[in-house]
Amino acid sequence: MSRIKHISIVIILAFLGLIMLLDLNKIPNQFEYANSIYHHITNNAVGETGSLNFVTAILYDYRAYDSMGESTIIFGAVSGIVLLLSRKTLPVSSHGLSFIVKRTYGMLTPFIFLFSVYIIAHGHLSPGGGFQGGVILGAISIIFSIVYGSEFDYKRYTPTTKTLLETSGALLFIGIGLIGIIYSGSFLSNLNILNSEPGSLLSAGSIPFINLGIGFKIGAGLAIIFYSMIQKTFKEEASL
Amino acid sequence: MNNILIYLVIVPLATAFLIPFVDIFSNKARKILVGFSALLEFSIGIYIIISNYGEITEHTFFLKYYLGNWIPPIGITLSMDMLSLFFSTLISVSLLFIITYSIGFIGHHEGKYYVLLFLIWAAMHGIVLTGDIFNLDVFLELMLITSAPLVAFKRNRNGTEAAIKYMFFGAIGGLFIFIGVILVYFNLGTLNFADIAQSFSLLPLFSKKMIIIFFLIGIFIKLGIFPFHFWLSKAHSACPSSISALLSGVIVKVYIYVFIRLFFNVFGFDILRETGLDIIIIVIALTSSILGHVLALSENDIKRMLAYSTVANLGIIVAVLTLNTKLAILAGLLHVMAHLLMKVSLFTATGYLLQFTPSHKLQDLKGVAYKNIILFAGFTLTAAGMIGLPPMIGFASKWHILQAFLDRSFHWGSIIVILGTIIAFFYYIKYIIYGFKTISIGPPERFRLILSVFYRERVVTNIAILFAIAVVVVGVFFKLSYGPIEGAANAVMNPSIYIESILGG
């Protein structure tokens, strides 16, 4: 019975894939359309936004509202996971890894932090940005609880600190949007006051600051998710 | 340019961000924040209606907003026409009362619960206001992600299973919609609703069909229409009643809005008629309707019965909208409002009653009416409205649906509406009779056995009774709601107005 089921699933998927392929073949090249927004962005992005990175220009300027929604999805996921997994017990720490790993990681941590800040701050100049840098920021906290034991992580960065970082990142994003209303009458419009020539660090108006907000939001959010998930493991360990 | 539109999204969003922040410092400040923000968001909706009252009565109401000052095809546009206004008002009114109900029902100790509720509110307004197809997808995803943890709120086995199912099928539906969005961008090079609507008919037929089918499957999975109905009843019944009311009353209506906006304004109804898909949709939706009624009849659990009744009613709404006459769309929108009011009323009342019974089963509901006779009277009246008895709002909407089917001489539709009404009568009367049955132990002793865990009982009963009164009052004066609904139906029938209002200056 299950074999028939599997075979029929494969056949259906192959059939759907074939239809997809046929459709994709018939698609005209959209870049040939005169009114495609592709042309506008490739021709005018640097001049209009001051960002050398087109992807960042689209993410945080042309469609910054979408990015706000996307980072809010992660915020919502964090809230949901905390709601479902939060328990009042303090985590009982494991002792972490060996002395060598602890020392080595202790020396590396500042550089990892610097790297994440670099990726966040240079989002408008090179590949990267708030989402990517934020993940590295979150990874620091995760590696802390693996290498030094979660008690260390708990004492250094309490859940309150993480929540503060996360919400302040989110509020920074909305705050920049609201400043846009005051400055030029539209939510999330680019603040041209902060512009210098394209290519320098403080160019591209409000894009670096939105990156910063998203970076903190994502980093702290991922750390919270990891933290809520390991709590149960530690509770079990304590009962042993 | 009117800044008021963006505040409809920003206010609940900022509240959701502020709640954990405020929570660190003071528990009491959070309670004030929740109440204040709900009222603020509600009053923004009221302000929009009052300040544009003249235009709303003349059906020429249209607001638009360019985010970041980017002119339509490039940036994201927000817009509000009569249809968006109709849904936005329904969302604001019901969410305000559901949040008040939650304060009495769940209490204040769960900060994250309110974070998620406000995020859902923001996502719903984001969907209703947006004029951009990718932005629509983002907010659909946000609504799914934030409502799934609430389904599992009870943290028991049943709730977790339901939440996983809800999440899984919602994500698959979202994936179909996302592929549709990709195909639209690949084919047309634009994401703006009005821009798509302008050039969609120029595409080759095969591409058009492909896009339509992807969107249709995605929306049908999310709506729980017939082949995909199986996840809905479990998800809508496993959560606390406040969330059931939200899911079954409001969130599915937002998906109905997406259906209307995409297939009537953006892609245009002509493509459905050209390909003969409209008849297929009607047949599937009617099947879904009759199946929902039959499953509700066979169900022994009151919340699952109500959830299957949602499947049945959604089927009817989709079928009648797809008839695409002015009367049919008017009837469909009227039933959207009627079903929202009645479902929220039934779930809020059920949430109160189920606190005094050992389980959700029919046998355990014996004599539950004597616990609060006024509230159960409200439940009975609303159930009568669900069946379709005058003077409740359910009668008015069902009457219009019947007329719409007869008008297009689609007799199968009218037969299924009548058949559904008869079946609905049997499954609702069962619970009402059991509710009034006296039992040998006598109600007082029996009810003392179960600990009720209300935070504020008075708030819960008052909200439930308020919705029951609303069902009757709106039912008596339903002619007053003709004006705005007719305006909304006009907006649905004339996509050219939408296109011109956004693209033309």
Side-chain angles (χ1 to χ4, degrees):
Chain A
M1 188 60 209
S2 81
R3 172 170 266 180
I4 297 171
K5 204 172 159 186
H6 282 261
I7 290 171
S8 57
I9 287 172
V10 167
I11 290 171
I12 289 171
L13 283 180
F15 181 66
L16 286 177
L18 194 71
I19 295 179
M20 243 345 245
L21 204 66
L22 283 176
D23 187 48
L24 289 175
N25 273 334
K26 285 189 185 176
I27 286 173
N29 189 357
Q30 58 117 341
F31 307 124
E32 286 162 11
Y33 284 122
N35 59 351
S36 170
I37 49 180
Y38 164 85
H39 292 294
H40 182 91
I41 288 173
T42 46
N43 292 335
N44 307 323
V46 179
E48 282 178 349
T49 67
S51 163
L52 287 183
N53 185 349
F54 284 180
V55 177
T56 310
I58 295 167
L59 276 180
Y60 302 116
D61 196 351
Y62 291 109
R63 307 186 69 84
Y65 186 61
D66 276 346
S67 292
M68 191 180 77
E70 275 155 15
S71 58
T72 309
I73 289 176
I74 294 186
F75 181 85
V78 171
S79 305
I81 287 169
V82 171
L83 175 79
L84 294 180
L85 298 180
S86 66
R87 288 173 181 80
K88 293 290 175 199
T89 51
L90 273 178
V92 182
S93 172
S94 57
H95 297 293
L97 301 177
S98 73
F99 177 75
I100 297 169
V101 182
K102 279 183 186 170
R103 267 346 266 160
T104 318
Y105 186 64
M107 280 186 270
L108 280 178
T109 311
F111 295 105
I112 298 177
F113 181 73
L114 192 67
F115 182 56
S116 75
V117 172
Y118 170 82
I119 286 189
I120 293 172
H122 287 249
H124 54 294
L125 302 174
S126 59
F131 284 100
Q132 293 87 337
V135 171
I136 299 172
L137 208 58
I140 292 179
S141 176
I142 295 172
I143 300 175
F144 261 161
S145 37
I146 294 171
V147 174
Y148 295 100
S150 65
E151 199 182 350
F152 178 84
D153 184 49
Y154 186 85
K155 279 184 180 154
R156 277 288 164 92
Y157 307 102
T158 54
T160 319
T161 321
K162 285 172 187 157
T163 315
L164 267 176
L165 277 176
E166 191 192 13
T167 48
S168 53
L171 289 171
L172 180 66
F173 200 146
I174 286 199
I176 288 167
L178 291 176
I179 293 171
I181 290 187
I182 299 163
Y183 178 67
S184 62
S186 181
F187 188 70
L188 281 173
S189 64
N190 205 336
L191 305 170
N192 291 320
I193 22 171
L194 301 166
N195 253 351
S196 62
E197 60 181 288
S200 58
L201 187 59
L202 267 183
S203 59
S206 53
I207 292 179
F209 300 95
I210 294 178
N211 264 327
L212 202 67
I214 287 192
F216 280 115
K217 197 174 171 183
I218 303 290
L222 288 182
I224 293 173
I225 289 182
F226 178 74
Y227 201 73
S228 325
M229 284 182 167
I230 60 170
Q231 267 181 340
K232 201 185 167 219
T233 336
F234 283 108
K235 207 180 161 194
E236 281 165 1
E237 203 175 271
S239 67
L240 281 172
Chain B
M1 287 284 278
N2 204 331
N3 271 325
I4 197 77
L5 278 187
I6 190 71
Y7 290 121
L8 277 177
V9 183
I10 290 303
V11 168
L13 207 58
T15 312
F17 294 154
L18 271 173
I19 287 172
F21 193 75
V22 170
D23 214 12
I24 293 170
F25 304 112
S26 152
N27 210 351
K28 198 169 181 187
R30 188 196 62 206
K31 294 180 193 178
I32 297 168
L33 179 71
V34 167
F36 174 75
S37 297
L39 274 177
L40 181 66
E41 173 80 349
F42 180 72
S43 48
I44 290 173
I46 300 281
Y47 172 78
I48 289 177
I49 292 175
I50 291 174
S51 57
N52 297 297
Y53 189 74
E55 288 170 349
I56 290 171
T57 46
E58 287 164 20
H59 301 172
T60 55
F61 172 74
F62 200 93
L63 292 179
K64 59 183 169 178
Y65 189 77
Y66 303 147
L67 279 153
N69 281 331
W70 298 115
I71 304 302
I74 298 159
I76 298 171
T77 316
L78 299 189
S79 67
M80 191 187 230
D81 59 353
M82 289 297 285
L83 183 70
S84 307
L85 180 75
F86 174 68
F87 276 90
S88 163
T89 313
L90 286 183
I91 289 166
S92 279
V93 171
S94 48
L95 254 288
L96 176 70
F97 287 110
I98 286 173
I99 285 177
T100 321
Y101 181 83
S102 302
I103 288 171
F105 192 71
I106 306 257
H108 268 303
H109 52 282
E110 300 273 9
K112 294 287 179 193
Y113 175 88
Y114 295 99
V115 173
L116 293 173
L117 268 189
F118 275 101
L119 284 180
I120 291 176
W121 199 344
M124 288 198 287
H125 264 138
I127 292 168
V128 168
L129 293 182
T130 191
D132 188 278
I133 204 159
F134 183 72
N135 194 239
L136 176 85
D137 187 63
V138 168
F139 278 112
L140 279 174
E141 215 59 27
L142 178 59
M143 195 161 77
L144 175 77
I145 298 278
T146 46
S147 52
L150 291 176
V151 176
F153 186 75
K154 283 184 175 171
R155 296 189 185 91
N156 52 14
R157 192 191 164 83
N158 201 9
T160 312
E161 191 196 331
I164 290 172
K165 261 190 178 173
Y166 176 79
M167 186 75 207
F168 190 70
F169 288 106
I172 289 178
L175 200 64
F176 272 102
I177 293 177
F178 185 59
I179 294 173
V181 172
I182 292 174
L183 286 177
V184 166
Y185 183 71
F186 245 79
N187 280 306
L188 291 170
T190 181
L191 292 165
N192 190 281
F193 274 175
D195 213 16
I196 295 168
Q198 221 172 23
S199 44
F200 190 73
S201 53
L202 304 174
L203 282 179
L205 187 66
F206 192 73
S207 296
K208 276 196 279 191
K209 261 193 220 165
M210 198 75 186
I211 291 167
I212 286 280
I213 285 173
F214 269 109
F215 274 101
L216 210 58
I217 293 175
I219 290 170
F220 275 13
I221 291 176
K222 290 200 172 228
L223 270 175
I225 298 291
F226 161 55
F228 315 110
H229 63 279
F230 41 85
W231 62 269
L232 191 140
S233 70
K234 195 147 208 170
H236 287 200
S237 62
C239 39
S241 291
S242 50
I243 305 303
S244 298
L246 183 71
L247 287 171
S248 211
V250 193
I251 285 183
V252 290
K253 303 304 182 302
V254 177
Y255 293 137
I256 293 272
Y257 168 83
V258 175
F259 175 76
I260 297 174
R261 179 61 88 205
L262 286 182
F263 288 103
F264 289 82
N265 283 5
V266 177
F267 300 140
F269 198 81
D270 292 337
I271 174 69
L272 287 182
R273 196 178 294 138
E274 262 177 53
T275 49
L277 269 173
D278 57 342
I279 298 294
I280 297 174
I281 294 174
I282 291 175
V283 170
I284 289 175
L286 286 176
T287 319
S288 174
S289 172
I290 198 75
L291 196 77
H293 279 301
V294 171
L295 287 171
L297 183 65
S298 67
E299 201 51 66
N300 210 14
D301 177 325
I302 181 163
K303 282 181 87 172
R304 292 191 68 136
M305 178 274 282
L306 290 175
Y308 276 126
S309 150
T310 300
V311 174
N313 281 291
L314 287 178
I316 281 292
I317 291 173
V318 170
V320 82
L321 284 171
T322 318
L323 286 177
N324 193 31
T325 59
K326 196 173 172 198
L327 181 67
I329 286 164
L330 201 136
L333 291 175
L334 195 64
H335 199 61
V336 163
M337 183 173 79
H339 184 248
L340 183 140
L341 281 176
M342 291 189 295
K343 245 317 127 51
V344 174
S345 167
L346 284 174
F347 267 122
T348 47
T350 312
Y352 177 82
L353 296 174
L354 287 181
Q355 295 285 346
F356 301 101
T357 62
S359 77
H360 296 180
K361 292 271 176 288
L362 173 65
Q363 293 78 13
D364 292 323
L365 286 171
K366 242 181 208 176
V368 85
Y370 301 105
K371 187 64 205 164
N372 189 336
I373 197 81
I374 303 173
L375 190 140
F376 199 79
F379 180 86
T380 312
L381 278 178
T382 318
M386 220 52 193
I387 295 163
L389 295 181
M392 268 65 71
I393 177 75
F395 167 72
S397 60
K398 271 205 174 166
W399 182 253
H400 282 81
I401 287 173
L402 211 57
Q403 271 189 330
F405 274 121
L406 290 175
D407 191 46
R408 274 286 300 271
S409 58
F410 205 92
H411 296 295
W412 272 108
S414 40
I415 288 169
I416 281 171
V417 171
I418 293 166
L419 206 63
T421 304
I422 295 167
I423 299 174
F425 175 75
F426 283 110
Y427 62 76
Y428 280 111
I429 204 79
K430 202 163 70 174
Y431 289 90
I432 292 164
I433 289 173
Y434 261 79
F436 279 117
K437 254 185 193 167
T438 46
I439 42 174
S440 52
I441 323 166
E445 287 84 2
R446 188 164 167 270
F447 291 133
R448 212 173 291 148
L449 292 174
I450 290 126
L451 191 70
S452 72
V453 282
F454 293 122
Y455 187 75
R456 289 211 175 90
E457 194 177 333
R458 283 282 291 279
V459 175
V460 172
T461 48
N462 285 349
I463 296 284
I465 292 168
L466 193 74
F467 268 104
I469 292 171
V471 167
V472 179
V473 170
V474 178
V476 173
F477 299 106
F478 76 94
K479 287 242 153 118
L480 288 180
S481 65
Y482 256 24
I485 292 179
E486 216 165 311
N490 270 341
V492 175
M493 294 296 286
N494 303 313
S496 55
I497 297 174
Y498 183 81
I499 298 168
E500 276 166 25
S501 312
I502 286 190
L503 290 181

